[in-house]
């Protein structure tokens, strides 16, 4: 059914009068009533049509609706008495609207004269209206007449939009037209304030089709039901459900407090502020006992108006609330405090702060509610709910709802606070266990980055660069399963173990085997019978700048990326090995030769794995980032993190270690094969002195001669041929190495007074920076490092 223009309907007289009192519209029904055609009256004052201005009281400028009986002038000179309903129609541009005045011409037939039926229809507590197929009102019962505030015997023949200019009446007429066309019942829910009521109610208008004996739709019945209580209960349930979903989405205190404010505006209040006790005043913990004056820090607020003009305190600002303030009193009592103009106590509660009192009067704030935030027996702060746009004050049900939502938020805030405290402690522990700087070595130039997990907590990722004997260097990257302090503590134990095992110069696969045994023991010590309770992955690399060879082994860890000079990056083919903690399975190593200037990238899986991409895609992006030229390794590290973690955060810990290899020139290494004859030690010393002279290191000749003499003599006396002496030097260090095929390692001992020997190694230890031995596949090597000091020093 197509929409009907009310001004084309001759069953009702309709005119429009502007705010100046001039007639602007005149329909056919008005012509039938008074005889004047539209051309004669449109543009003239409406008062010209009044036969007697004392009959009835026309609407004033401040009124929105008026009804009454008026004596009107007919075109033939007679007088027509008509009941007129007038209401102001809003103008789209916000200016004062015009008046629509209507009077029905066809009242319709009276209902059948059955006293019982008439009593039931008119006296039913359910408000009802009956409209015909032209959507003209045919009947209205007493309950509906009270709602609209109009006499039931006067409004028959009017449209729904004639009764009021409210948008709800326009929507009602549209839905009634839909029911007429479809023949199907429809429910329309709205919120409006009935005549004589101080606040709006929730209404459900049930629009049902009326049919004749032949089944044809001949009208509609509209029954209105006040379901305010059910609507409020549903709103409360919806708010509680929304709070459980939206509050606590992260483990961030500020974000959680803001979520509480966002959920409650405008569903419960027009302005909400969340102020928390400052934990810094209590050693990082909220106070167990709150006594005024109370210091609260504004953590979040939200308003229905932009920029929160009602806020007195800015976010992050610390305010002190004295005794007598609602914030301090609610924290002291642990109960919500409501203050409202309707209760006569709002101004009394605000007297402590003149600024807040002025803000209350400026924005028309009429009701406030202060609710303490408490969780697990701890007081965290206070949430203040304020109303200035909604006309009704906070009632008992609102208090219960605010307390329930605030209790949920308080638990989430407490969780976030506890998480933040543990995360900070874990980060502190993690930073103390990770290397604060990478030691400079002649073998590699290194740079590193560590990024803790954004949400799941700090984990057990670690990296290290360990100088070894013979100018070699070890590099390690590992990842302990889990997060938090236990993972960080385990990481510290494994890092210490790696350094200890590296110090005795174990090969990569041997070191991982010992480390695997340690993780198994840690699992047993954890008190859990489940295997693998403590688990980790690890990649261990040893690089020798003299031979420029690199040995690698890994335990379930991602393979490193190698970037040779002027070549694209690629993954190093390396047996994966089982993760640490499985126990009983072998590890395999690989060996490759590296050109000088090659870059090795060691990393943990948090860098290449994420929910958005798989490992293969992540490693491809890593190689792409490493392929781009960079002026330094630090620049390359930053570019890798920006490429793979554009948000600056990761779901898991990230450790990245880049190392550019250096080669030691052959001219800095000298090697001699030593005959197993003690009488030939003197010629060896002479050869060493000649080599030191060639290198310009005569200032170290005395110490070097003593060390070489002692180490070579010990090798001849206690070792097995063949025996080899090697000298290595760089700008700061001279290294003496003596190798033989015996696997018996020397050790220091204290010689007695009458002993003829036994003081050689003690002398070596006193004259050198450090010394030691390492096992090789052929036997062992005894080495000692001498520090070189410039003559200027």
């Amino acid at each position: 059914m197509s929409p009907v223009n009310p001004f084309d309907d001759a069953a009702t007289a309709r005119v429009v009068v502007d705010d100046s009192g001039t007639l602007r519209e005149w329909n056919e029904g008005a012509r039938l009533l008074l005889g004047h055609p539209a051309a004669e009256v449109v543009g003239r004052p409406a008062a010209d049509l009044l036969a007697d201005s004392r009959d009835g009281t026309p609407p004033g400028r401040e009124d929105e609706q008026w009804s009454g009986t008026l004596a009107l002038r007919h075109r033939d000179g007679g007088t027509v008495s008509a009941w007129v309903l007038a209401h102001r129609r809003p103008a789209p541009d916000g200016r004062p609207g015009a008046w629509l005045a209507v009077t029905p011409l066809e009242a319709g037939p009276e209902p059948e004269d059955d006293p019982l039926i008439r009593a039931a229809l008119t006296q039913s507590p359910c408000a009802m209206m009956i409209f015909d197929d032209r959507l003209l009102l045919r009947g209205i019962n007493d309950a509906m007449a009270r709602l609209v505030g109009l006499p039931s015997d006067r409004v028959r023949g009017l449209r729904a939009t004639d009764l009021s200019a409210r948008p709800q009446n326009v929507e009602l007429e549209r839905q009634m037209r839909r029911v007429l066309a479809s023949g199907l019942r429809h429910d329309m829910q709205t919120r409006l304030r009935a005549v004589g009521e101080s606040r709006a109610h929730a209404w459900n208008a049930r629009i049902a089709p009326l049919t004749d004996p032949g089944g044809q739709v001949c009208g509609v019945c509209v029954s209105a039901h006040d379901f305010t209580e059910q609507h409020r209960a549903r709103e409360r349930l919806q708010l509680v459900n929304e709070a459980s979903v939206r509050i606590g989405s992260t483990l961030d205190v500020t974000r959680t407090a803001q979520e509480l404010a966002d959920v409650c505006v405008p569903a419960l209040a027009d302005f909400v502020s969340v102020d928390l006790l400052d934990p810094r005043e209590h050693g990082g913990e909220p106070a167990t006992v709150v006594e005024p004056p109370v210091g609260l820090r504004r953590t979040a607020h939200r308003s229905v108006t932009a920029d929160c003009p009602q806020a007195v305190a800015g976010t992050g600002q610390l305010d002190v609330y004295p005794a007598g303030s609602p914030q301090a009193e609610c924290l002291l009592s642990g109960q919500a405090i409501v203050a409202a103009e309707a209760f006569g106590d709002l101004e009394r509660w605000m007297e402590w702060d003149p600024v807040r009192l002025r803000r209350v009067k400026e924005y028309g704030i009429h009701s406030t509610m202060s609710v303490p935030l408490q969780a697990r027996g701890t007081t965290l702060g206070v949430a203040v709910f304020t109303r200035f746009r909604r006309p009704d004050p906070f009632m008992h049900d609102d208090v219960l709802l605010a307390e329930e939502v605030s209790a949920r938020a308080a638990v989430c805030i407490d969780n976030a606070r506890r998480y933040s405290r543990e995360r900070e402690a874990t980060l502190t522990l993690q930073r103390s266990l990770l290397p604060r700087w990478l030691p400079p070595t002649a073998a590699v130039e290194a740079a590193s980055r560590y990024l803790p997990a954004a949400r799941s907590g700090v984990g057990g990722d670690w990296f290290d660069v360990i100088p070894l004997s013979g100018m070699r260097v070890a590099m390690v990257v590992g990842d302990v399963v889990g997060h938090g302090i236990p993972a960080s503590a385990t990481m510290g134990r494994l890092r210490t173990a790696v350094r200890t095992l590296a110090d005795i110069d174990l090969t990569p696969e041997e070191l991982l085997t010992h480390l695997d045994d340690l993780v198994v023991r840690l699992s047993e010590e954890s008190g859990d019978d489940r295997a693998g309770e403590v688990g980790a992955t690890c990649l261990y690399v040893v690089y020798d700048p003299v031979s420029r060879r690199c040995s690698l082994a890994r335990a379930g860890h991602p393979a490193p990326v190698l970037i040779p000079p002027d070549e694209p990056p690629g993954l190093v083919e390396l047996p994966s090995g089982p993760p640490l903690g499985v126990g009983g399975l072998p590890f395999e190593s690989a060996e490759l030769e590296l050109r000088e200037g090659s870059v090795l990238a060691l990393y943990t899986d948090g860098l290449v794995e994420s929910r958005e991409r798989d490992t293969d895609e992540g490693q491809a992006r890593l190689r792409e980032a490493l392929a781009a030229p960079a002026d330094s390794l630090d620049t390359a590290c930053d570019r890798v993190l920006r490429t793979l973690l554009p948000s600056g955060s990761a779901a898991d810990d990230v450790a990245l270690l880049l190392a550019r290899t250096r080669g030691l020139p052959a001219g800095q290494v000298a090697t001699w094969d030593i005959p197993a004859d003690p009488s030939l030690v003197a010629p060896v010393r002479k050869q060493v002195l000649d080599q030191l002279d060639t290198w310009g290191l005569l200032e170290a000749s005395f110490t070097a001669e003593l060390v070489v003499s002692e180490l070579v003599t010990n090798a001849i006396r206690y070792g097995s041929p063949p025996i080899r002496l090697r000298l290595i030097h760089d700008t700061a260090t001279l290294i003496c190495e003596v190798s033989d095929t015996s696997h018996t390692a020397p050790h220091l001992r204290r010689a007695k007074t009458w002993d003829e020997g036994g003081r050689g190694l003690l002398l070596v230890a006193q004259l050198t920076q450090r010394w030691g031995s390492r096992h090789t596949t052929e036997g062992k090597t005894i080495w000692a490092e001498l520090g070189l000091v410039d003559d200027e020093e």
Side-chain angles (χ1 to χ4, degrees):
M1 180 177 294
S2 60
V4 177
N5 187 342
F7 275 85
D8 295 336
D9 179 14
T12 303
R14 294 183 175 86
V15 299
V16 174
V17 183
D18 66 16
D19 206 49
S20 66
T22 303
L23 285 166
R24 294 302 180 191
E25 295 185 54
W26 185 272
N27 79 334
E28 179 62 17
R31 188 195 67 78
L32 294 177
L33 178 65
L34 299 180
H36 301 282
E40 291 183 359
V41 294
V42 172
R44 294 174 53 190
D48 293 348
L49 296 177
L50 295 175
D52 185 358
S53 60
R54 295 171 297 176
D55 187 9
T57 304
R61 292 180 180 269
E62 71 282 356
D63 298 325
E64 296 295 330
Q65 181 173 303
W66 178 91
S67 63
T69 302
L70 295 177
L72 306 174
R73 298 181 188 275
H74 197 276
R75 189 168 185 262
D76 60 9
T79 300
V80 176
S81 179
W83 181 83
V84 177
L85 170 62
H87 51 79
R88 190 189 295 272
R89 297 192 303 182
D93 56 2
R95 294 178 300 174
W99 286 86
L100 172 66
V102 298
T103 184
L105 303 182
E106 299 179 12
E110 292 286 338
E112 295 184 7
D113 195 15
D114 184 326
L116 186 60
I117 294 177
R118 177 176 296 208
L121 291 176
T122 58
Q123 299 175 24
S124 171
C126 177
M128 291 184 294
M129 296 185 291
I130 306 297
F131 292 85
D132 60 18
D133 57 356
R134 294 179 296 172
L135 297 184
L136 298 178
L137 186 61
R138 297 291 292 274
I140 179 173
N141 71 346
D142 295 344
M144 182 62 78
R146 288 192 295 270
L147 286 182
V148 299
L150 297 171
S152 58
D153 57 339
R154 294 290 191 179
V155 295
R156 289 200 301 271
L158 298 180
R159 289 180 172 274
T161 50
D162 294 334
L163 299 177
S164 173
R166 288 182 295 197
Q168 291 90 339
N169 288 59
V170 177
E171 177 65 15
L172 176 62
E173 188 164 299
R174 190 180 73 84
Q175 296 298 341
M176 287 194 298
R177 192 175 294 114
R178 173 182 170 185
V179 170
L180 280 177
S182 65
L184 300 177
R185 189 182 71 185
H186 179 75
D187 285 356
M188 171 185 161
Q189 294 182 355
T190 186
R191 188 177 182 88
L192 56 86
R193 181 171 58 87
V195 175
E197 290 187 332
S198 60
R199 59 178 180 169
H201 284 226
W203 296 91
N204 181 66
R206 176 155 294 177
I207 309 170
L210 301 175
T211 58
D212 59 17
Q216 296 295 319
V217 177
C218 58
V220 293
C221 173
V222 180
S223 57
H225 306 272
D226 184 351
F227 74 113
T228 303
E229 293 304 320
Q230 296 90 330
H231 181 70
R232 287 179 178 173
R234 186 172 62 188
E235 283 186 333
R236 289 194 292 268
L237 183 61
Q238 182 178 355
L239 180 59
V240 171
N241 179 68
E242 189 174 358
S244 64
V245 173
R246 292 176 56 186
I247 299 176
S249 62
T250 66
L251 288 171
D252 180 79
V253 173
T254 302
R255 176 77 175 273
T256 304
Q258 188 61 55
E259 288 167 347
L260 168 61
D262 293 344
V263 164
C264 295
V265 174
L268 181 59
D270 300 321
F271 176 79
V272 173
S273 63
V274 180
D275 299 323
L276 300 181
L277 292 167
D278 195 355
R280 284 174 287 186
E281 296 183 357
H282 308 284
E285 287 286 343
T288 55
V289 178
V290 178
E291 295 182 356
V294 181
L296 294 173
R297 189 174 298 276
R298 175 62 51 87
T299 307
H301 53 222
R302 177 71 182 271
S303 174
V304 293
T305 55
D307 301 327
C308 295
Q310 302 79 20
V312 175
T315 303
Q317 179 178 335
L318 181 65
D319 274 357
V320 178
Y321 297 85
S325 63
Q327 290 87 344
E329 294 301 323
C330 83
L331 290 177
L332 187 61
S333 64
Q335 302 293 326
I337 292 179
V338 178
E341 284 184 348
F343 306 151
D345 58 357
L346 179 60
E347 189 167 338
R348 176 178 63 83
W349 278 111
M350 295 291 107
E351 286 178 350
W352 70 276
D353 189 350
V355 176
R356 279 178 167 80
L357 184 57
R358 286 197 302 270
R359 198 65 58 91
V360 165
K361 295 179 179 179
E362 179 181 357
Y363 290 97
I365 296 172
H366 61 81
S367 186
T368 66
M369 174 171 50
S370 301
V371 180
L373 298 174
Q374 298 173 321
R376 303 181 179 97
T378 302
T379 300
L380 303 172
V382 61
V384 179
F385 303 81
T386 303
R387 284 182 179 176
F388 54 88
R389 180 174 293 181
R390 293 177 60 164
D392 47 317
F394 291 112
M395 306 303 290
H396 179 66
D397 289 343
D398 297 320
V399 175
L400 294 179
L401 179 59
E403 288 179 337
E404 182 169 355
V405 174
S406 298
R408 291 172 179 262
V411 172
C412 295
I413 290 174
D414 187 53
N415 290 340
R417 179 184 60 81
R418 291 169 181 263
Y419 167 78
S420 298
R421 183 184 60 193
E422 180 175 345
R423 177 180 171 81
E424 186 61 32
T426 307
L427 275 173
T428 302
L429 175 62
Q430 184 88 332
R431 294 189 186 102
S432 68
L433 296 176
L434 288 174
R436 298 185 179 182
W437 56 281
L438 299 179
T441 66
V444 295
E445 173 196 356
S448 63
R449 293 293 185 273
Y450 171 75
L451 189 65
R455 296 184 180 180
S456 56
V458 179
D461 290 16
W462 90 93
F463 59 90
D464 210 345
V465 175
I466 308 169
L468 301 178
S469 63
M471 290 193 178
R472 296 170 306 132
V473 65
M475 294 167 285
V476 60
V477 169
D479 184 1
V480 175
V481 175
H483 295 88
I485 292 178
S488 294
T490 301
M491 177 272 288
R493 299 176 73 173
L494 294 184
R495 177 171 177 255
T496 301
V498 169
R499 278 189 159 267
T500 302
L501 295 171
D503 195 48
I504 59 176
D505 277 308
L506 294 178
T507 61
E509 68 274 14
E510 291 175 333
L511 183 141
L512 292 182
T513 300
H514 286 283
L515 204 61
D516 181 51
D517 294 338
L518 172 62
V519 174
V520 171
R521 288 197 299 273
L522 292 178
S523 297
E524 295 172 352
E525 293 173 3
S526 67
D528 199 311
D529 294 335
R530 294 175 294 172
E533 179 66 19
V534 176
T537 65
C538 184
L539 170 64
Y540 186 73
V541 180
V542 175
Y543 172 67
D544 186 348
V546 177
S547 65
R548 299 182 183 178
R549 300 197 65 80
C550 179
S551 299
L552 312 90
R554 59 176 176 150
H557 201 84
V561 175
L562 174 62
I563 310 99
D566 303 322
E567 291 186 26
L571 288 175
V572 177
E573 293 186 4
L574 181 64
S576 63
L580 299 175
V582 174
L585 297 178
F587 297 95
E588 300 178 57
S589 65
E591 189 170 291
L592 60 154
E593 186 171 347
L594 300 181
R595 294 158 52 192
E596 184 171 1
S598 299
V599 176
L600 271 174
L602 288 68
Y603 55 92
T604 55
D605 56 7
L607 181 65
V608 295
E609 291 182 5
S610 70
R611 296 179 180 178
E612 293 77 22
R613 61 174 182 267
D614 57 20
T615 304
D616 292 339
E617 181 184 353
Q619 289 179 334
R621 295 182 63 181
L622 172 61
R623 294 194 297 271
E624 179 183 349
L626 292 171
D631 55 3
S632 68
L633 292 182
D634 283 312
T635 303
C637 285
D638 293 336
R639 183 175 60 237
V640 167
L641 294 184
R642 286 196 305 268
T643 302
L644 280 86
L645 305 171
S647 64
S649 62
D652 195 7
D653 281 24
V654 172
L656 172 65
L657 177 63
L658 299 184
R660 179 180 286 116
T661 61
R662 299 186 179 116
L664 199 65
Q668 293 181 229
V669 181
T671 305
W672 297 273
D673 290 326
I674 307 299
D677 185 352
S679 63
L680 298 178
V681 174
V684 171
R685 291 199 299 266
K686 178 65 171 60
Q687 292 174 341
V688 168
L689 292 175
D690 292 341
Q691 185 63 55
L692 293 179
D693 183 31
T694 302
W695 285 341
L697 302 177
L698 286 178
E699 71 278 0
S701 59
F702 177 75
T703 304
E705 183 180 9
L706 289 177
V707 170
V708 167
S709 178
E710 180 60 34
L711 295 183
V712 170
T713 301
N714 280 349
I716 294 174
R717 182 176 299 176
Y718 304 109
S720 301
I723 301 170
R724 174 169 294 180
L725 167 65
R726 184 170 72 163
L727 296 182
I728 307 171
H729 92 89
D730 65 358
T731 57
T733 307
L734 175 66
I735 300 175
C736 303
E737 293 184 345
V738 177
S739 303
D740 67 84
T741 57
S742 170
H743 292 278
T744 303
H747 61 277
L748 287 175
R749 67 183 182 89
R750 184 177 298 277
K752 297 181 174 58
T753 305
W754 54 85
D755 288 344
E756 296 181 359
R759 299 175 178 84
L761 286 181
L762 183 60
L763 182 63
V764 170
Q766 295 295 321
L767 294 176
T768 60
Q769 287 183 335
R770 62 182 188 135
W771 75 279
S773 65
R774 65 175 180 267
H775 290 278
T776 64
T777 55
E778 295 82 10
K780 68 174 181 299
T781 297
I782 311 299
W783 56 269
E785 290 185 5
L786 286 73
L788 300 179
V789 181
D790 294 336
D791 294 337
E792 298 177 358
E793 297 179 353

